[in-house]
Coordinates of all heavy atoms in Angstrom, one line a residue:
L61 N -92.7 -39.5 -62.0 CA -94.0 -39.6 -61.6 C -94.6 -38.4 -60.9 O -95.7 -38.4 -60.5 CB -94.2 -40.9 -60.7 CG -93.7 -42.2 -61.3 CD1 -93.9 -43.4 -60.3 CD2 -94.6 -42.6 -62.6
V62 N -93.8 -37.5 -60.6 CA -94.2 -36.3 -59.8 C -94.3 -35.2 -60.7 O -93.3 -34.9 -61.6 CB -93.3 -36.0 -58.6 CG1 -93.6 -34.7 -57.8 CG2 -93.1 -37.2 -57.7
L63 N -95.4 -34.4 -60.7 CA -95.5 -33.3 -61.5 C -94.8 -32.1 -60.8 O -94.7 -32.0 -59.7 CB -96.9 -32.8 -61.7 CG -97.7 -33.9 -62.5 CD1 -99.1 -33.5 -62.5 CD2 -97.1 -34.1 -64.0
A64 N -94.2 -31.2 -61.7 CA -93.4 -30.1 -61.1 C -94.4 -29.3 -60.2 O -93.9 -28.8 -59.1 CB -92.7 -29.2 -62.2
V65 N -95.6 -29.1 -60.6 CA -96.5 -28.4 -59.8 C -96.7 -29.0 -58.5 O -97.1 -28.2 -57.5 CB -97.9 -28.1 -60.4 CG1 -97.7 -27.2 -61.7 CG2 -98.6 -29.3 -60.9
Q66 N -96.6 -30.2 -58.3 CA -96.8 -31.0 -56.9 C -95.6 -30.6 -56.1 O -95.8 -31.0 -54.9 CB -96.9 -32.5 -57.3 CG -98.1 -33.0 -57.9 CD -98.2 -34.5 -58.2 OE1 -97.4 -34.9 -59.0 NE2 -99.1 -35.1 -57.5
A67 N -94.5 -30.2 -56.6 CA -93.3 -29.7 -55.7 C -93.4 -28.4 -55.2 O -92.5 -28.0 -54.5 CB -92.1 -30.0 -56.5
E68 N -94.5 -27.8 -55.5 CA -94.8 -26.4 -55.0 C -94.5 -26.3 -53.6 O -95.1 -27.1 -52.7 CB -96.3 -25.9 -55.4 CG -96.7 -24.7 -54.5 CD -96.0 -23.4 -54.8 OE1 -95.5 -23.4 -55.9 OE2 -95.8 -22.6 -53.9
G69 N -93.7 -25.5 -53.0 CA -93.3 -25.3 -51.7 C -92.4 -26.3 -51.0 O -92.3 -26.2 -49.9
C70 N -92.0 -27.2 -51.8 CA -91.3 -28.3 -51.4 C -89.8 -28.0 -51.5 O -89.2 -27.2 -52.1 CB -91.6 -29.5 -52.1 SG -93.2 -30.2 -51.8
V71 N -88.9 -28.9 -50.8 CA -87.5 -28.9 -50.9 C -87.1 -30.1 -51.9 O -87.5 -31.3 -51.4 CB -86.8 -29.1 -49.5 CG1 -85.3 -29.2 -49.7 CG2 -87.1 -27.8 -48.7
V72 N -86.4 -29.8 -52.9 CA -85.9 -30.9 -53.8 C -84.5 -31.0 -53.7 O -83.8 -30.0 -53.8 CB -86.5 -30.6 -55.2 CG1 -86.0 -31.7 -56.2 CG2 -88.0 -30.5 -55.3
E73 N -84.0 -32.2 -53.6 CA -82.6 -32.4 -53.6 C -82.3 -33.5 -54.7 O -82.8 -34.6 -54.8 CB -82.1 -33.0 -52.3 CG -82.2 -32.1 -51.1 CD -81.9 -32.8 -49.8 OE1 -82.9 -33.6 -49.3 OE2 -80.7 -32.6 -49.4
T74 N -81.3 -33.1 -55.6 CA -80.9 -33.9 -56.7 C -79.5 -34.5 -56.3 O -78.9 -34.0 -55.4 CB -80.8 -33.2 -58.0 OG1 -79.7 -32.2 -57.9 CG2 -82.1 -32.4 -58.3
I75 N -79.0 -35.4 -57.2 CA -77.7 -35.9 -56.9 C -76.7 -34.8 -57.1 O -75.7 -34.9 -56.2 CB -77.4 -37.0 -58.0 CG1 -76.1 -37.8 -57.6 CG2 -77.3 -36.4 -59.5 CD1 -76.3 -38.6 -56.4
E76 N -76.8 -33.7 -57.8 CA -75.8 -32.8 -57.8 C -75.8 -32.0 -56.4 O -74.7 -31.7 -55.9 CB -76.2 -31.7 -58.8 CG -76.2 -32.0 -60.3 CD -77.3 -32.6 -60.8 OE1 -78.3 -33.0 -60.1 OE2 -77.3 -32.8 -62.1
G77 N -76.9 -31.8 -55.8 CA -76.9 -31.0 -54.5 C -76.4 -31.9 -53.4 O -75.7 -31.5 -52.6
V78 N -76.8 -33.1 -53.4 CA -76.4 -34.1 -52.4 C -74.7 -34.4 -52.5 O -74.1 -34.4 -51.5 CB -77.2 -35.4 -52.5 CG1 -76.7 -36.4 -51.4 CG2 -78.7 -35.1 -52.1
S79 N -74.5 -34.4 -53.7 CA -72.9 -34.7 -53.9 C -72.1 -33.5 -53.5 O -71.1 -33.5 -52.8 CB -72.6 -35.0 -55.3 OG -73.3 -36.2 -55.8
D80 N -72.7 -32.3 -53.9 CA -71.9 -31.1 -53.5 C -71.9 -30.8 -52.1 O -70.9 -30.2 -51.6 CB -72.5 -29.8 -54.3 CG -72.3 -29.8 -55.8 OD1 -71.5 -30.5 -56.3 OD2 -73.0 -28.9 -56.4
S81 N -72.9 -31.3 -51.3 CA -72.8 -31.1 -49.8 C -71.8 -32.0 -49.1 O -71.5 -31.8 -48.0 CB -74.1 -31.4 -49.4 OG -74.4 -32.8 -49.2
G82 N -71.4 -33.1 -49.9 CA -70.3 -34.0 -49.3 C -71.1 -35.2 -48.6 O -70.3 -36.0 -48.1
E83 N -72.3 -35.2 -48.5 CA -73.0 -36.3 -47.9 C -72.7 -37.6 -48.3 O -72.8 -38.5 -47.7 CB -74.5 -35.9 -48.0 CG -75.5 -37.0 -47.3 CD -76.9 -36.8 -47.6 OE1 -77.3 -35.6 -47.8 OE2 -77.7 -37.7 -47.5
L84 N -72.5 -37.6 -49.6 CA -72.3 -39.0 -50.2 C -70.9 -39.2 -50.6 O -70.5 -40.3 -51.2 CB -73.0 -39.0 -51.7 CG -74.6 -38.9 -51.6 CD1 -75.0 -38.9 -53.0 CD2 -75.2 -39.9 -50.7
A85 N -70.0 -38.4 -50.0 CA -68.5 -38.6 -50.3 C -68.1 -40.1 -50.1 O -67.4 -40.7 -51.1 CB -67.8 -37.7 -49.6
D86 N -68.4 -40.6 -48.9 CA -67.8 -42.1 -48.6 C -68.6 -43.0 -49.5 O -68.0 -44.0 -50.0 CB -68.0 -42.2 -47.1 CG -69.5 -42.2 -46.7 OD1 -70.4 -41.5 -47.3 OD2 -69.7 -42.8 -45.5
L87 N -69.9 -42.8 -49.7 CA -70.5 -43.8 -50.7 C -70.0 -43.8 -52.0 O -69.8 -44.8 -52.7 CB -72.2 -43.5 -50.6 CG -73.0 -44.5 -51.4 CD1 -72.9 -45.9 -50.8 CD2 -74.4 -44.0 -51.3
Q88 N -69.7 -42.6 -52.5 CA -69.2 -42.4 -53.9 C -67.9 -43.0 -54.0 O -67.5 -43.8 -54.9 CB -69.1 -40.8 -54.2 CG -70.5 -40.3 -54.5 CD -70.3 -38.7 -54.7 OE1 -69.7 -38.1 -53.9 NE2 -71.1 -38.3 -55.6
E89 N -67.0 -42.8 -52.9 CA -65.7 -43.5 -52.9 C -65.8 -45.0 -53.0 O -65.1 -45.8 -53.6 CB -65.0 -43.1 -51.7 CG -63.7 -43.8 -51.5 CD -62.4 -43.2 -52.4 OE1 -62.7 -42.1 -53.0 OE2 -61.5 -44.0 -52.5
A90 N -66.7 -45.6 -52.2 CA -67.1 -47.1 -52.1 C -67.7 -47.6 -53.6 O -67.2 -48.6 -53.9 CB -68.0 -47.4 -51.0
F91 N -68.4 -46.8 -54.2 CA -68.8 -47.2 -55.5 C -67.7 -47.3 -56.5 O -67.6 -48.1 -57.2 CB -69.9 -46.3 -56.0 CG -71.4 -46.6 -55.7 CD1 -71.8 -46.9 -54.4 CD2 -72.2 -46.8 -56.9 CE1 -73.0 -47.2 -54.2 CE2 -73.6 -47.2 -56.6 CZ -74.0 -47.5 -55.3
W92 N -66.8 -46.3 -56.3 CA -65.6 -46.2 -57.2 C -64.7 -47.5 -57.0 O -64.3 -48.1 -57.8 CB -64.9 -44.9 -57.1 CG -63.7 -44.8 -57.9 CD1 -63.6 -44.6 -59.2 CD2 -62.3 -44.9 -57.4 NE1 -62.3 -44.5 -59.6 CE2 -61.4 -44.8 -58.5 CE3 -61.8 -45.1 -56.1 CZ2 -60.1 -44.8 -58.5 CZ3 -60.5 -45.1 -56.0 CH2 -59.6 -44.9 -57.2
R93 N -64.4 -47.6 -55.7 CA -63.4 -48.6 -55.2 C -63.9 -50.1 -55.5 O -63.2 -51.0 -55.9 CB -63.2 -48.6 -53.7 CG -62.3 -47.4 -53.3 CD -61.6 -47.6 -52.0 NE -60.7 -46.5 -51.6 CZ -59.5 -46.3 -52.2 NH1 -59.2 -47.2 -53.2 NH2 -58.8 -45.3 -52.0
R94 N -65.2 -50.2 -55.5 CA -66.0 -51.6 -55.8 C -66.3 -51.8 -57.2 O -67.0 -52.8 -57.6 CB -67.2 -51.8 -54.8 CG -66.9 -51.6 -53.3 CD -66.1 -52.8 -52.8 NE -65.9 -52.6 -51.4 CZ -65.6 -53.5 -50.6 NH1 -65.4 -54.7 -51.0 NH2 -65.3 -53.2 -49.4
N95 N -66.0 -50.8 -58.0 CA -66.3 -50.8 -59.4 C -67.8 -51.0 -59.6 O -68.4 -51.8 -60.5 CB -65.6 -52.0 -60.2 CG -65.6 -51.8 -61.6 OD1 -65.6 -50.7 -62.2 ND2 -65.5 -53.0 -62.5
A96 N -68.6 -50.2 -58.8 CA -70.0 -50.3 -58.9 C -70.7 -49.2 -59.8 O -71.9 -48.9 -59.7 CB -70.6 -50.0 -57.5
L97 N -69.8 -48.5 -60.5 CA -70.2 -47.3 -61.3 C -70.5 -47.8 -62.8 O -71.7 -47.4 -63.3 CB -69.1 -46.2 -61.4 CG -68.8 -45.7 -60.0 CD1 -67.7 -44.8 -60.1 CD2 -70.0 -45.0 -59.5
Q98 N -69.8 -48.6 -63.4 CA -69.9 -49.2 -64.8 C -70.3 -47.9 -65.6 O -69.7 -47.0 -65.7 CB -71.0 -50.2 -64.8 CG -70.5 -51.4 -64.0 CD -69.5 -52.2 -64.7 OE1 -69.4 -52.5 -65.8 NE2 -68.4 -52.5 -63.7
C99 N -71.4 -48.0 -66.4 CA -71.8 -46.8 -67.4 C -72.2 -45.7 -66.6 O -72.1 -44.5 -67.3 CB -72.8 -47.4 -68.3 SG -74.5 -47.3 -67.8
G100 N -72.7 -45.8 -65.5 CA -73.1 -44.5 -64.7 C -74.6 -44.0 -64.9 O -75.0 -43.1 -64.1
Y101 N -75.2 -44.6 -65.8 CA -76.6 -44.2 -66.1 C -77.5 -44.3 -64.8 O -78.3 -43.4 -64.5 CB -77.3 -44.9 -67.2 CG -78.4 -44.0 -67.6 CD1 -78.2 -43.0 -68.6 CD2 -79.7 -44.3 -67.4 CE1 -79.3 -42.3 -69.1 CE2 -80.8 -43.6 -67.7 CZ -80.6 -42.6 -68.6 OH -81.6 -41.8 -69.0
C102 N -77.4 -45.4 -64.2 CA -78.3 -45.7 -62.9 C -77.6 -45.1 -61.7 O -78.4 -44.9 -60.5 CB -78.5 -47.2 -62.6 SG -77.1 -48.0 -62.0
T103 N -76.4 -44.7 -61.7 CA -75.7 -44.3 -60.5 C -76.4 -43.2 -59.6 O -76.5 -43.3 -58.5 CB -74.2 -43.9 -60.9 OG1 -73.6 -45.1 -61.5 CG2 -73.4 -43.7 -59.5
P104 N -76.8 -42.1 -60.3 CA -77.3 -41.0 -59.3 C -78.6 -41.5 -58.5 O -78.7 -41.3 -57.4 CB -77.7 -39.9 -60.4 CG -76.8 -40.2 -61.4 CD -76.7 -41.5 -61.7
G105 N -79.6 -42.2 -59.3 CA -80.7 -42.8 -58.6 C -80.4 -43.8 -57.6 O -80.8 -43.8 -56.4

Side-chain angles (χ1 to χ4, degrees):
L61 296 180
V62 176
L63 298 173
V65 295
Q66 291 176 293
E68 163 66 30
C70 294
V71 174
V72 176
E73 295 171 282
T74 68
I75 191 67
E76 291 91 346
V78 179
S79 293
D80 288 349
S81 74
E83 176 187 338
L84 298 180
D86 59 343
L87 184 59
Q88 288 169 315
E89 176 76 14
F91 265 59
W92 178 75
R93 288 200 177 283
R94 303 288 178 160
N95 199 28
L97 299 168
Q98 300 290 315
C99 83
Y101 198 82
C102 73
T103 304

